[in-house]
Amino acid sequence: MATEIAASPPPGAGDATSARTDAPAPPLRRIWNHYAVVKVRKALVVVFVVANVTFFLGRAMPGDPIDVMAGRLTQNGMTMEEARAVAMNSLAYDVDAPLHQQWWDFLVGLVTFDMGNTINRPGVSVMDAIGAYLPWTLFSIGVGTVIAVALGLALGMVMAYRRNQFLDHVLSVAASVLGAVPNYLIAMVLVVGGGMYLGWFNPIELRGTVSPGVQAGFNLEFIGDAFFHASLPILTYVLAIIGTWMLVMKASTTEVLSEDYVTVARARGLRDRRIAVAYVGRNAVLPLVAQIAISFGTLVGGAIFVEQVLVYKGVGGLLLDAVNYRDYPLLQGLLIIITSCVVAANLVADMLYSRLDPRIRD
Amino acid sequence: MTDHPAAPAAGKAPAGGPAEGALLSVRGVDVGYRTGRRTRVTAVRDVSFDLYPGQSMALVGESGCGKTTLGLGLLRLLPRTGVVSSGEILFRRKDGRLVDVRTLAREDLRRFRWNEAAMVFQGAMNAFNPVLRIEDHFLDTFRAHEGGRRRPRKEILEQSADLLTTVRLDPARVLGSFPHELSGGMRQRALIALALALKPQLLILDEPTTALDILTQRSIVERLAELRDELRFAMVFITHDLGLAAELADRVGTMYAGRMIETGTTRDIFYRARHPYTSALINSVPPVAGDLTVPQSLPGGPPSLTALPPGCSFAPRCAHAVDACSHTRPTLDVLRTRTEGLSHAAACLRTHELLEGATRD
C-alpha cells in the first residue's frame, strides 16, 4: 500500500494497483466458460458413478425377476418348476448371462442412450416407459418447487423484517409444523379433509394426469387440464417444503439485516424498497440458491409416496413396480434419469450462483 | 438540560433551543437499548453540545463509553433495539429550517440522511453491498435523493468520477469494480467520496481509519483535513486514536460510561486536561509532542451500564477520588467560557484542587 502515498501527485495513479491486476480483457470470458466446462464434467462423473451403483445395487437385492414372477405364479397353484418355466418364457431376461456380460451391455447402452427393453413389459423400451411417466413428475414437482420457493422466500423475508412480532410468531409456528409433517401425510390430509369432509373438490375426478379424451398439445384445454389434475400434488409439494424455505430465508435475512452495508444503505437515505430488494433480498438469497436444487432432488424421492396416495401417474409408481418386480433395466433407467435431473438442477443452480455473486466468478 | 418539552415543532426555536448560528445542537440526549421485555440499558446519558459549521469535534474514550451509540443516534441509525429516549437533536438544514432529528417523519428522515449529514463507518470493509459495483452505489445514492426528472446515468457517473478523483482514486478503475476487488484503503476512500456526494453539512466518522495500515491512515487523514478546509463541512469523529484527534479536531469531547465528562478545545484537552479520566487517557499513550515519557496504563475498565456507581462513574478507578466522589454526581461545569461551543468544561468534583496535578506542558 506504500504506493498509495508515494504516488500521490498524479491523482489515483499509484492507487488501484490491487484491482483486477490479473485480468487481460478477452480471457475473462474464457475463464467463465472454463468454469462451466469443469462443472459439466464433474456432473457427468457423478451420473456415471450413480449409474454403476444402481446396476450392482439392483442385482444385489435378493431374488431376480424370474424368482419374483415364479413366486407369484406358485400362489395360483403352479409348482415351482412350472412357474419358473412360464416366467422364463414370458420375461425378457436371461438368467444365465454372466454378470460381467450384463455389465458390459449396460455400459454400452449407457453410452449409446439405449437402455434396452423392460423385463416385465415385453416389447416396451425403457426409454418409452420412462418418457410416458417422468414428464408428469417433473412438471408437478417443478411447479411446486417454484411456487414454494418464491412464496417461502417472500414470507421468510417478511418474518425477518417483523421478527419477534405477532405475524412472525404465527408464521414461525406454521412453518415449523409444515416442515415436520411428511409429504404423504399432507397428501392424505388434503384428500380426506378437503375432498371428503369439506367437499371442496371431488378427489376421484382429480386422479390421473389428464382427463379422458383430452388430447396432448400446446393448447389451453390441455394445459388447463394438466394443471387441474396436478393441483393436489403441486399443493402437497408446496406445503411440504415451504416451511423450510420460510425458516431458512428468515435466518438468512436476519443475518443480512445486521450487515454494515445495510446500515450504510439506510444512512445513505435509500428508499426502503430498494434496500429490501437489492441490498437485503439479493444477499439473503445467495446462500440459498444451491439449496433449491437439493430441495428439488429431495422432492423427486418423496414423489413416490405422494403419487401413490394421490393416484397421480408419475414416475413414482413406475419406480415402485421396477423395484418390486426386479425390473433391472427399468430400475437402472429410472434412477439414472432421476439422478441426471437432480444433477442438472444442481448444475443450473451453480451457474446461476456464479452469475449472482460476483465474488465467485473468477 | 433535560427539562425541555418533547418534540418541539420543527422550524420554531424551542425553549432553550439551539445556540445562535450552530449547525447541530444536541440537548440532553439519552440513548437506550432494550435488553429484554421490560429491561433497558441507557448507553448515552444527558449529552449536550453545540457544533458550529466547519468545526470538527473528536469524541474520545474507551470502548463501551457510548461514542458510537451517540454517533448513530444523531442520525437515528441505531439497531432495532436502540432508541433516542429523550432530548433534542436540533439541526439547521441547508434551507435554513431548524429540525429536530428525533421527531422527523420517516420520509423526511430518509431525505435528511446523507443529504444533510453523512456517516463514514468503522471499518468500511463491509460498507458496500458485495453484489453491486461501486458505480451502482453512487447511482443509488444520487437517485434516492433526486426527485423529478431521472438524471441520465452518464451524468451521474461523471459526477461520481470527480468525487473519486478528490479522494485520489482512479475512477476508471474503481467505478466498475466490485467492492471485493478493492483494498481496504481504497474502499475507505470510496466511502468518503460517497459520503461527500450530496455535499452534506455534517460528516460523522466512526473510527474511519481503524483496521488500516499506518501509511494508508496517514494519507486518508491528510486528505480528509484538506477536504474539510475546501468544502467546509463540520465533522464529528469518533476515535480511539488520540493522535488523530489532536491533529484533525478543533475540539474534543471525552466520554465515559455514556456521559460527556470533559469538553474543550484540542489544546485544552491535551495540555490542560481537567478531568482525571482524560488525563489518564492521555497519559496512557506516548505524547504527541514533547519528550517521550513512560506511558501509564489505566487499570480496570468502564463500569457496567446496568450498575453505575451512584456518584461519579469514574470514581472506582480514579486515583484522586475522595469520599464525596462515590455519592455526589459531578455536573459538567464550565471552567473557561468561549464562544462557538469551545468552552472548556469538566465534570469532576475536584477540578480546582487537581489543577496542577493534571497539567502537562
Side-chain angles (χ1 to χ4, degrees):
Chain A
M1 283 334 294
T3 51
E4 286 195 15
I5 315 299
S8 51
D15 249 351
T17 38
S18 61
R20 303 180 163 187
T21 39
D22 50 355
L28 248 183
R29 190 160 182 79
R30 260 184 34 217
I31 289 170
W32 192 87
N33 282 337
H34 188 64
Y35 173 79
V37 168
V38 170
K39 288 282 172 192
V40 171
R41 252 180 14 217
K42 282 186 181 163
L44 286 176
V45 171
V46 170
V47 171
F48 181 76
V49 170
V50 171
N52 281 295
V53 169
T54 54
F55 176 87
F56 290 106
L57 206 63
R59 282 162 180 78
M61 288 193 292
D64 58 25
I66 308 293
D67 291 335
V68 173
M69 188 172 180
R72 271 186 302 147
L73 290 175
T74 50
Q75 286 167 7
N76 297 340
M78 273 191 215
T79 64
M80 198 59 193
E81 284 72 34
E82 280 170 354
R84 281 193 74 86
V86 171
M88 273 200 265
N89 272 334
S90 57
L91 294 180
Y93 180 69
D94 182 4
V95 260
D96 299 324
L99 192 62
H100 63 84
Q101 178 67 46
Q102 292 184 37
W103 190 45
W104 178 251
D105 291 345
F106 165 75
L107 289 182
V108 170
L110 203 59
V111 177
T112 56
F113 293 105
D114 175 16
M115 309 296 294
N117 284 344
T118 61
I119 293 175
N120 279 289
R121 304 166 197 222
V124 180
S125 81
V126 170
M127 285 306 189
D128 287 346
I130 294 174
Y133 291 92
L134 188 67
W136 297 110
T137 299
L138 292 185
F139 164 66
S140 57
I141 289 182
V143 173
T145 307
V146 168
I147 295 177
V149 169
L151 264 177
L153 293 182
L155 288 173
M157 233 176 125
V158 169
M159 285 158 75
Y161 266 92
R162 312 242 159 124
R163 60 190 180 283
N164 292 327
Q165 293 176 17
F166 180 72
L167 186 67
D168 171 33
H169 291 311
V170 171
L171 289 178
S172 289
V173 171
S176 307
V177 170
L178 283 177
V181 179
N183 50 15
Y184 52 88
L185 212 61
I186 294 177
M188 284 189 224
V189 170
L190 282 179
V191 170
V192 175
M196 295 169 80
Y197 280 95
L198 298 170
W200 287 344
F201 51 84
N202 179 358
I204 309 297
E205 270 177 24
L206 280 171
R207 285 182 175 176
T209 49
V210 277
S211 305
V214 175
Q215 290 297 310
F218 194 73
N219 56 60
L220 212 61
E221 193 200 1
F222 173 70
I223 296 172
D225 195 59
F227 270 104
F228 173 71
H229 284 278
S231 57
L232 276 187
I234 290 175
L235 188 58
T236 305
Y237 298 135
V238 169
L239 291 175
I241 61 169
I242 194 173
T244 320
W245 280 97
M246 285 161 69
L247 295 177
V248 171
M249 183 61 179
K250 179 193 168 187
S252 185
T253 308
T254 305
E255 206 176 302
V256 171
L257 278 174
S258 67
E259 291 283 353
D260 285 349
Y261 54 81
V262 176
T263 311
V264 176
R266 285 201 296 140
R268 282 157 60 203
L270 301 195
R271 292 189 178 85
D272 289 342
R273 224 183 44 201
R274 175 74 185 154
I275 298 177
V277 174
Y279 287 71
V280 179
R282 192 156 162 207
N283 283 292
V285 168
L286 271 187
L288 310 184
V289 170
Q291 291 184 36
I292 297 176
I294 297 171
S295 158
F296 186 80
T298 318
L299 272 187
V300 175
I304 296 173
F305 299 107
V306 174
E307 287 177 354
Q308 289 299 109
V309 172
L310 297 175
V311 200
Y312 190 73
K313 290 207 162 49
V315 87
L318 200 60
L319 187 62
L320 211 59
D321 282 352
V323 174
N324 281 340
Y325 301 130
R326 306 288 187 277
D327 195 335
Y328 298 145
L330 185 57
L331 183 62
Q332 285 155 198
L334 275 171
L335 291 180
I336 291 169
I337 286 188
I338 291 173
T339 311
S340 306
C341 288
V342 175
V343 169
N346 267 307
L347 204 59
V348 170
D350 259 350
M351 301 294 168
L352 204 63
Y353 196 32
S354 74
R355 302 297 305 175
L356 290 175
D357 192 342
R359 282 165 297 188
I360 62 160
R361 247 172 242 174
D362 347 290
Chain B
M1 293 277 203
T2 44
D3 56 347
H4 303 298
K12 266 184 267 173
E20 191 65 35
L23 172 66
L24 173 71
S25 288
V26 177
R27 291 282 176 268
V29 160
D30 282 8
V31 184
Y33 288 104
R34 211 171 55 235
T35 52
R37 195 171 273 274
R38 298 208 173 277
T39 53
R40 164 181 292 210
V41 56
T42 308
V44 168
R45 247 174 232 275
D46 196 16
V47 167
S48 302
F49 63 87
D50 293 306
L51 190 72
Y52 288 77
Q55 264 186 358
S56 51
M57 175 168 140
L59 290 177
V60 300
E62 281 161 286
S63 299
C65 283
K67 308 183 301 287
T68 298
T69 298
L70 177 60
L72 291 172
L74 293 180
L75 289 183
R76 273 173 61 192
L77 278 173
L78 295 158
R80 275 161 51 99
T81 50
V83 66
V84 180
S85 48
S86 68
E88 291 169 358
I89 303 165
L90 302 165
F91 194 96
R92 178 78 61 188
R93 295 173 51 130
K94 289 174 183 169
D95 58 11
R97 273 197 304 148
L98 188 73
V99 292
D100 183 354
V101 178
R102 239 193 105 199
T103 57
L104 277 182
R106 201 182 173 82
E107 178 66 9
D108 286 342
L109 179 66
R110 183 183 77 71
R111 290 176 183 282
F112 170 84
R113 286 173 177 163
W114 221 250
N115 190 24
E116 300 282 351
M119 185 158 183
V120 174
F121 289 81
Q122 195 166 358
M125 302 302 144
N126 302 317
F128 291 98
N129 183 346
V131 298
L132 293 184
R133 293 173 198 276
I134 301 298
E135 61 188 18
D136 296 320
H137 289 83
F138 278 96
L139 284 164
D140 274 353
T141 309
F142 279 113
R143 291 217 163 119
H145 291 276
E146 291 173 349
R149 190 178 66 95
R150 203 173 149 88
R151 256 207 305 164
R153 179 187 165 90
K154 195 164 160 264
E155 200 180 309
I156 295 180
L157 290 185
E158 275 166 17
Q159 197 183 344
S160 312
D162 290 344
L163 285 160
L164 287 172
T165 312
T166 62
V167 292
R168 302 222 172 99
L169 286 174
D170 176 9
R173 288 193 122 162
V174 173
L175 273 179
S177 295
F178 285 101
H180 71 276
E181 295 170 331
L182 304 178
S183 71
M186 292 165 78
R187 261 179 276 180
Q188 190 62 281
R189 285 154 191 256
L191 185 59
I192 292 172
L194 189 61
L196 299 175
L198 304 174
K199 302 192 171 58
Q201 301 189 79
L202 173 66
L203 195 57
I204 300 173
L205 300 117
D206 187 359
E207 296 183 29
T209 57
T210 356
L212 296 178
D213 68 273
I214 199 135
L215 292 174
T216 311
Q217 280 188 16
R218 227 4 320 139
S219 72
I220 286 179
V221 168
E222 274 166 12
R223 194 62 200 132
L224 217 46
E226 289 164 21
L227 284 170
R228 183 202 44 186
D229 295 341
E230 220 173 289
L231 304 170
R232 304 298 303 156
F233 49 82
M235 283 200 280
V236 169
F237 65 89
I238 296 157
T239 184
H240 295 294
D241 183 347
L242 294 174
L244 180 69
E247 192 167 357
L248 211 49
D250 305 319
R251 43 189 290 215
V252 178
T254 312
M255 289 191 72
Y256 189 76
R259 287 175 190 273
M260 193 79 88
I261 52 143
E262 182 163 11
T263 68
T265 63
T266 309
R267 263 198 97 70
D268 287 337
I269 300 298
F270 283 95
Y271 292 103
R272 286 178 296 275
R274 298 287 287 277
H275 194 288
Y277 177 64
T278 311
S279 311
L281 212 56
I282 291 166
N283 288 334
S284 65
V285 294
V288 179
D291 293 333
L292 197 65
T293 52
V294 179
Q296 289 165 351
S297 77
L298 173 62
S304 159
L305 292 169
T306 50
L308 286 180
C312 174
S313 309
F314 185 59
R317 292 168 80 192
C318 183
H320 309 284
V322 292
D323 282 353
C325 293
S326 54
H327 45 80
T328 313
R329 181 183 299 291
T331 51
L332 190 62
D333 293 329
V334 176
L335 304 167
R336 179 188 284 193
T337 312
R338 294 196 195 90
T339 54
E340 301 220 315
L342 294 170
S343 302
H344 189 187
C348 176
L349 293 175
R350 304 189 64 202
T351 306
H352 297 284
E353 302 163 50
L354 296 171
L355 186 53
E356 305 85 52
T359 305
R360 174 171 160 182
D361 267 300

